[in-house]
Amino acid sequence: MSQVILMDATAIERALTRMAHEIVERNSNQDGLAIIGIRTHGVPLAQRLTGIVAGILKREIPIGEIDISMHRDDIGTRGASVIGATHITFDVTGKTIVLVDDVLFTGRSIRAALDEIADFGRPQRIQVAVLVDRGHRELPIRADFVGKNTPTALQERVMVRLVEVDGKDEVVIER
Amino acid sequence: MNSLIIKHGRVIDPANRVDEVRDLFITGGKIAGAASSKADVIDATGKIITPGLIDIHVHLREPGRSDKESIETGTRCAARGGFTSIVAMPNTTPAADNTGTIAFIKQRAAEVACVNVFPAGAITKELKGEELAPIGSLKRAGVVAITDDGRCVQNNELMRRAVEYAKMFDLPVMDHCQDYNVAADGVMHEGYWSAALGLRGWPAVAEEIIVARNILLAEITDWHIHCQHLSSARSVELVRAAKKRGVKISAEACPHHFTLTDESVKEYDTNLKMNPPLRTEADRQALLAGLADGTIDIIASDHAPHCTYEKQVEFDVAPFGIIGLETELALSLALVHQKVLTLPQLIEKFTINPAKLLRLSKGTLSTGADADVTVIDPVAEWTYDVEQSASKARNSPFHNWNLKGRAMITIVGGKIAWQLE
Amino acid sequence: MKRWQRKDLLGIQELSVAEINFLLNSAQAFKQVGKRSVKKVPSLRGKTVVNLFIEPSTRTRTSFELAATRLSADVINITANASSLVKGETLKDTALNLQALHADVIIIRHSAAGAPHFLAPLLKASVINAGDGAHEHPTQALLDAFTILEKKGKIAGLNITILGDILFSRVARSNIWLLTKLGANVTLAGPSTLVPRVFEQFGCRVTHNIDDALRDADVVNLLRIQHERQRQTLFPSIGEYTTMFGLNKERFARLKPDAMIMHPGPINRGVEIDSEVADCERSVILEQVTNGLAVRMAVLFLCSGGQAVES
């Protein structure tokens, strides 16, 4: 097995800055903008994006985090793992939600997250932001904002490491 | 009738204080003083030759519950276990509280049994503990003792009269010692494990109260009461003290009680549910001490077959009891291997002691005695597979146990009833 | 511990501290589901959960039923009494029939201790113990611990008194195992016939003096006294119990000011607990009920994903 570094800390920072600007541009009416990270790695990414977006707009952006374990469709095939809590303290109804995750792969996490958010109310729209899109979708889901598109083989693993969780920033592909 | 010579075995006959390597001769169904000319020869080098073993506590279930066991299958179990004589408990359906049932058991035994079957009669009608059974008629019909086993006479006055009455017929009284009010609806020993498992306790004192009662009644009636399957340390102590005073009291212990403890119930295996229940390690040690010093005279199995479907239920609901004839000798030989008993001490508890208690002309290898003989390999290692049991039942907690020592040949009345293939 | 491994939840006794904490942490997540506008998640969609109650119980059954419903499982309730089961179909046959109908989870309440342990190895379905005789009631102990953690922030080092009928109580046993594993100082109190000394061997303090039992308590967990269910020889009367061991206003007043009152319910007002004490702000009896739902959702969720434990 070999590991190749796909993005280093600088590349990640640059990608997030670009994505933040795209989010601002795409949503000209920014009043209802809110950002939600998917546990675990989507949460620090959402925090960083929120920071940049808030800096651009010079105001607070509501942020939340969700755990999608309860909405997964593969319980019983994987065994139940730790369930984290979902924290959404604002009302999602009518909002434009940017859903943040680290890697977009099969699309099942995003599907579960969409269902989870629907349990909290009815947003006006939901957009998806991911640091890496590695392809191999199993559902009709696409990202609105992508840090890096990387074609991969199915058996390869893409790992996003972030300072907040892993002590350093990098994206690694394991072949 | 054919003749047998069993050669080169170590003959242990506690009744005659014999323990030596010599040949044993059998002619015409009796032990003979010398070889007959056309005898078959069995080489028993390295084996032990004992008087046929006796188990005074067996439930054959016939008549009434021959789906659990029958006289035929139960006696086949006995033969495999090395037993040449067994005493059938009276809690059949109908109960052995009448001469007809005794006659039936004797007739069936004559037809199908491969070992000697001695019936025990009931103390009270239908074992209800209310009215005396026709004890004199039962004696005439051939019972060797009376007991309400499975149940216990609670009425002390009735028990006193039963003992007094039985004395007139020279019939020993055997008792399953259990005070119903104290034991209540207990299903296992009352102690740490019953508390942990949430199972209702059957406290040792429920046995001890009745043992004490029996000692007092044996004393005032000057007649013999035999306490069946002792399970608790204090029961042993009560019997020990009473024997010292010369009271006509005796006691038996079962292999499961001196092998297992209440901790083994922790998986709720209903094959560990018996009455009286398995008790603590301290109780187990007391039973071993009682066996060693002679307080406990006899080892018996309390062979209690039940159908698998009856045992495959909630612990509370399952019937009490396990089968034991096939594992009894090996579990008892363990006491010899552990140096709790000498071999002659052990053989005594299987032969002359039960024979004396029940006045059976069995249990010795004296010349002229019935040629009931067991050939034992005391060190053979084997694994008990209950699926291969001769019993109709499968309710043994010793399935898959590795055991040491077993019967090789069981000879009843000069004929080989069973031998290990 | 990364993943829940057990297919069955039979008791607290066999759980490790890590497993207990895993369950309690998961319950935290499920508690929040109850606060959403849509109080339902699709985790167990398409799964069949059977409430097999061979001993009457309304609250535990309702709590499990609602928990399963909130996880989107299909729930069926089967109630029977043990005596009819003894005479008719055996428990084993009943359970195998449910399995033949593709039940995924069987929640069992039974008057016989060990009944869930008897079923678990026979079935591919998950078996959840909802109370077996006087043995265990694991979800009750978990919800009690969850409530204590929520209110007190910890369990280790707390003085927790369980008062009442310990001998016949599955709630007491599950609580004893759980609280001692998590480091609480557990005191058991009540009449000597219902609180025998043998429980000291479980790592608890046993006292038959009510004032001694209450003096240093941070938490008092009261158990229901059911005179009718027990043998009449164990204590004279309900009235005498209330006099000697009931948590009345005077005794309540002598408790530490932050002592918390718990009860697994249903409460007997005026028997083991004074009515006003039951309703006071230091009583968390209704919060226990709410937390029971979260705990049972977590248990159903985790065991549905767990594998059979290799024994």
Side-chain angles (χ1 to χ4, degrees):
Chain A
M1 247 187 302
S2 66
Q3 288 198 346
V4 177
I5 295 181
L6 209 57
M7 299 172 85
D8 58 13
T10 322
I12 291 172
E13 193 189 335
R14 209 180 294 135
L16 288 173
T17 307
R18 175 175 51 77
M19 288 162 74
H21 280 94
E22 288 172 4
I23 290 167
V24 174
E25 284 161 24
R26 177 83 65 88
N27 300 294
S28 50
N29 170 20
Q30 295 107 353
D31 288 349
L33 190 64
I35 296 180
I36 293 177
I38 300 177
R39 274 175 187 267
T40 44
H41 283 74
V43 173
L45 288 173
Q47 283 161 351
R48 294 193 206 178
L49 278 173
T50 305
I52 305 170
V53 170
I56 299 166
L57 297 176
K58 304 213 175 351
R59 61 176 177 79
E60 296 261 304
I61 302 290
I63 179 164
E65 54 185 84
I66 60 173
D67 186 286
I68 56 167
S69 321
M70 294 179 205
H71 285 75
R72 293 201 68 97
D73 56 7
D74 53 4
I75 184 176
T77 59
R78 299 169 70 234
S81 55
V82 190
I83 315 173
T86 290
H87 290 294
I88 302 178
T89 49
F90 51 88
D91 182 6
V92 301
T93 302
K95 293 258 180 352
T96 293
I97 305 282
V98 178
L99 193 55
V100 183
D101 204 357
D102 54 350
V103 180
L104 182 56
F105 183 23
T106 61
R108 288 180 192 272
S109 297
I110 300 294
R111 199 277 307 154
L114 294 173
D115 285 351
E116 174 105 8
I117 290 171
D119 290 351
F120 286 82
R122 186 178 180 282
Q124 192 186 12
R125 66 177 67 82
I126 300 178
Q127 297 165 347
V128 174
V130 295
L131 188 59
V132 180
D133 182 348
R134 60 167 294 191
H136 303 288
R137 217 74 76 238
E138 294 170 0
L139 296 172
I141 279 170
R142 63 168 181 78
D144 297 275
F145 315 104
V146 179
K148 188 176 181 66
N149 278 297
T150 305
T152 58
L154 193 57
Q155 69 278 8
E156 287 172 345
R157 293 182 63 201
V158 175
M159 288 173 293
V160 172
R161 298 195 181 105
L162 298 171
V163 171
E164 296 89 330
V165 188
D166 313 292
K168 62 172 171 179
D169 276 357
E170 65 178 12
V171 179
V172 167
I173 184 160
E174 196 177 82
R175 322 196 134 95
Chain B
M1 218 173 218
N2 55 348
S3 301
L4 277 175
I5 304 176
I6 307 173
K7 286 197 154 179
H8 312 310
R10 175 180 164 194
V11 175
I12 300 179
D13 181 10
N16 293 313
R17 300 185 178 281
V18 170
D19 181 358
E20 62 187 9
V21 174
R22 64 171 170 87
D23 299 343
L24 188 75
F25 310 109
I26 296 172
T27 303
K30 302 284 178 190
I31 304 294
S36 106
S37 52
K38 283 189 285 182
D40 293 336
V41 175
I42 294 170
D43 180 9
T45 308
K47 308 291 189 293
I48 288 164
I49 299 170
T50 69
L53 308 184
I54 302 168
D55 187 330
I56 65 164
H57 197 144
V58 174
H59 297 272
L60 290 175
R61 305 294 187 211
E62 191 178 353
R65 282 308 301 269
S66 49
D67 54 333
K68 294 180 193 241
E69 194 76 289
S70 66
I71 290 170
E72 183 178 3
T73 55
T75 56
R76 284 216 319 260
C77 267
R80 284 189 181 210
F83 294 91
T84 58
S85 295
I86 57 177
V87 176
M89 291 297 107
N91 60 337
T92 47
T93 316
D97 63 353
N98 64 88
T99 55
T101 304
I102 302 299
F104 171 84
I105 292 168
K106 293 189 76 156
Q107 189 198 326
R108 281 300 289 164
E111 288 163 9
V112 299
C114 62
V115 305
N116 305 304
V117 175
F118 295 99
I123 298 173
T124 64
K125 287 181 186 161
E126 297 176 56
L127 314 179
K128 278 184 174 168
E130 291 165 1
E131 296 171 74
L132 288 181
I135 294 168
S137 307
L138 289 172
K139 166 77 178 185
R140 264 193 207 167
V143 306
V144 295
I146 52 170
T147 172
D148 273 1
D149 182 63
R151 300 183 61 81
C152 174
V153 178
Q154 299 295 293
N155 180 330
N156 297 330
E157 149 71 3
L158 184 62
M159 187 65 175
R160 174 195 167 184
R161 297 304 174 198
V163 178
E164 278 177 352
Y165 193 78
K167 182 180 182 184
M168 176 165 65
F169 303 105
D170 199 33
L171 259 186
V173 178
M174 309 201 290
D175 195 22
H176 165 117
C177 304
Q178 176 181 5
D179 183 296
Y180 288 168
N181 284 310
V182 180
D185 45 7
V187 294
M188 74 172 293
H189 173 67
E190 179 184 297
Y192 173 82
W193 284 103
S194 68
L197 295 167
L199 291 169
R200 285 182 300 278
W202 185 142
V205 71
E207 172 179 294
E208 293 148 4
I209 283 173
I210 298 294
V211 170
R213 178 221 35 200
N214 288 346
I215 289 167
L216 295 173
L217 291 182
E219 209 160 8
I220 62 155
T221 57
D222 190 31
W223 188 236
H224 201 115
I225 301 181
H226 172 75
C227 296
Q228 297 175 288
H229 45 46
L230 284 197
S231 66
S232 95
R234 215 175 283 106
S235 293
V236 176
E237 189 44 52
L238 285 165
V239 172
R240 181 179 288 128
K243 280 190 164 182
K244 266 190 199 144
R245 295 203 303 276
V247 180
K248 291 190 170 74
I249 194 92
S250 61
E252 76 192 27
C254 302
H256 47 271
H257 287 127
F258 63 67
T259 304
L260 302 168
T261 64
D262 59 342
E263 182 180 355
S264 62
V265 178
K266 64 185 174 190
E267 310 291 333
Y268 295 97
D269 181 349
T270 57
N271 286 329
L272 293 152
K273 180 177 176 180
M274 53 277 280
N275 186 358
L278 300 173
R279 300 209 186 272
T280 65
E281 179 61 19
D283 292 306
R284 193 180 81 85
Q285 291 298 337
L287 291 177
L288 296 180
L291 285 161
D293 71 8
T295 302
I296 299 172
D297 316 81
I298 292 167
I299 295 175
S301 65
D302 194 6
H303 180 83
H306 293 292
C307 299
T308 301
Y309 75 85
E310 293 175 302
K311 277 285 198 181
Q312 276 190 354
V313 292
E314 302 88 317
F315 198 88
D316 279 351
V317 179
F320 290 98
I322 59 166
I323 58 171
L325 281 164
E326 292 169 330
T327 47
E328 183 172 4
L329 179 58
L331 294 169
S332 302
L333 280 166
L335 305 186
V336 176
H337 301 314
Q338 293 157 16
K339 308 217 184 304
V340 174
L341 296 177
T342 64
L343 252 178
Q345 275 181 313
L346 177 71
I347 300 308
E348 204 173 72
K349 295 181 197 301
F350 278 127
T351 57
I352 192 61
N353 290 358
K356 270 190 192 157
L357 171 69
L358 302 181
R359 289 102 173 110
L360 307 176
S361 56
K362 300 280 184 188
T364 86
L365 296 174
S366 307
T367 302
D370 293 342
D372 292 353
V373 180
T374 305
V375 179
I376 298 167
D377 183 338
V379 293
E381 296 191 6
W382 60 295
T383 302
Y384 183 58
D385 179 358
V386 77
E387 295 306 324
Q388 304 300 316
S389 172
S391 172
K392 287 188 180 179
R394 296 290 178 262
N395 54 319
S396 169
F398 301 111
H399 178 52
N400 276 334
W401 273 46
N402 294 319
L403 300 171
K404 189 172 169 188
R406 68 189 307 178
M408 305 302 284
I409 307 174
T410 305
I411 298 167
V412 179
K415 286 191 206 152
I416 293 177
W418 176 83
Q419 70 180 316
L420 186 65
E421 309 246 314
Chain C
M1 192 178 144
K2 284 199 134 157
R3 281 186 191 286
W4 180 256
Q5 298 292 348
R6 292 176 187 269
K7 142 178 121 62
D8 310 302
L9 180 68
L10 303 180
I12 299 295
Q13 193 190 359
E14 57 265 33
L15 298 185
S16 66
V17 171
E19 286 175 309
I20 292 167
N21 285 327
F22 195 99
L23 275 164
L24 293 173
N25 289 338
S26 305
Q28 196 76 47
F30 283 104
K31 179 154 189 187
Q32 290 173 343
V33 174
K35 297 174 182 161
R36 298 180 187 176
S37 59
V38 176
K39 296 176 182 59
K40 191 164 178 168
V41 292
S43 313
L44 299 188
R45 202 168 51 143
K47 303 244 181 209
T48 304
V49 172
V50 179
N51 265 325
L52 179 58
F53 274 58
I54 304 166
E55 185 186 73
S57 152
T58 309
R59 23 182 78 219
T60 305
R61 188 181 55 70
T62 309
S63 179
F64 267 112
E65 183 172 355
L66 194 53
T69 307
R70 288 196 169 172
L71 294 169
S72 304
D74 298 309
V75 187
I76 51 171
N77 290 307
I78 297 176
T79 51
N81 68 46
S83 58
S84 77
L85 212 67
V86 170
K87 286 175 198 138
E89 194 179 45
T90 64
L91 178 61
K92 182 187 172 193
D93 287 332
T94 305
L96 290 176
N97 273 284
L98 293 172
Q99 179 151 288
L101 295 170
H102 305 298
D104 297 289
V105 180
I106 295 178
I107 298 162
I108 179 169
R109 157 69 63 96
H110 199 301
S111 53
H117 308 68
F118 164 69
L119 284 189
L122 298 173
L123 299 176
K124 287 200 293 284
S126 291
V127 175
I128 311 289
N129 184 358
D132 62 324
H135 180 226
E136 283 231 40
H137 192 351
T139 55
Q140 180 69 44
L142 286 163
L143 77 89
D144 289 345
F146 187 91
T147 307
I148 295 169
L149 276 173
E150 208 173 49
K151 295 286 168 187
K152 297 281 182 187
K154 62 168 186 177
I155 285 178
L158 288 183
N159 297 323
I160 300 177
T161 292
I162 307 175
L163 178 60
D165 170 3
I166 306 296
L167 184 59
F168 290 92
S169 173
R170 50 189 168 226
V171 174
R173 282 173 182 74
S174 288
N175 262 291
I176 290 167
W177 295 124
L178 195 155
L179 296 171
T180 53
K181 277 174 204 264
L182 295 192
N185 308 313
V186 179
T187 296
L188 307 176
S192 53
T193 45
L194 295 178
V195 191
R197 290 273 166 207
V198 67
F199 281 93
E200 287 171 347
Q201 293 176 45
F202 294 68
C204 303
R205 187 169 74 100
V206 168
T207 177
H208 305 122
N209 177 319
I210 179 79
D211 295 320
D212 176 37
L214 297 180
R215 190 177 305 118
D216 299 318
D218 297 304
V219 176
V220 180
N221 197 348
L222 298 163
L223 302 179
R224 188 175 159 81
I225 287 292
Q226 290 160 294
H227 195 242
E228 72 281 5
R229 234 180 68 183
Q230 289 135 17
R231 286 182 257 143
Q232 305 289 313
T233 50
L234 290 169
F235 64 96
S237 68
I238 290 284
E240 177 150 320
Y241 180 87
T242 305
T243 309
M244 308 296 289
F245 295 101
L247 187 61
N248 55 29
K249 273 174 277 188
E250 293 71 39
R251 287 176 182 140
F252 179 75
R254 290 202 295 272
L255 283 170
K256 283 164 75 169
D258 60 344
M260 182 171 107
I261 308 300
M262 306 180 77
H263 192 303
I267 59 174
N268 294 321
R269 287 178 188 270
V271 178
E272 69 268 3
I273 187 166
D274 184 275
S275 189
E276 284 175 41
V277 174
D279 296 332
C280 79
E281 60 181 15
R282 275 153 60 193
S283 149
V284 294
I285 297 171
L286 292 175
E287 278 147 292
Q288 288 175 268
V289 176
T290 306
N291 290 338
L293 199 55
V295 161
R296 290 180 177 120
M297 285 173 79
V299 167
L300 288 169
F301 176 85
L302 293 176
C303 288
S304 297
Q307 313 295 317
V309 190
E310 283 171 33
S311 55

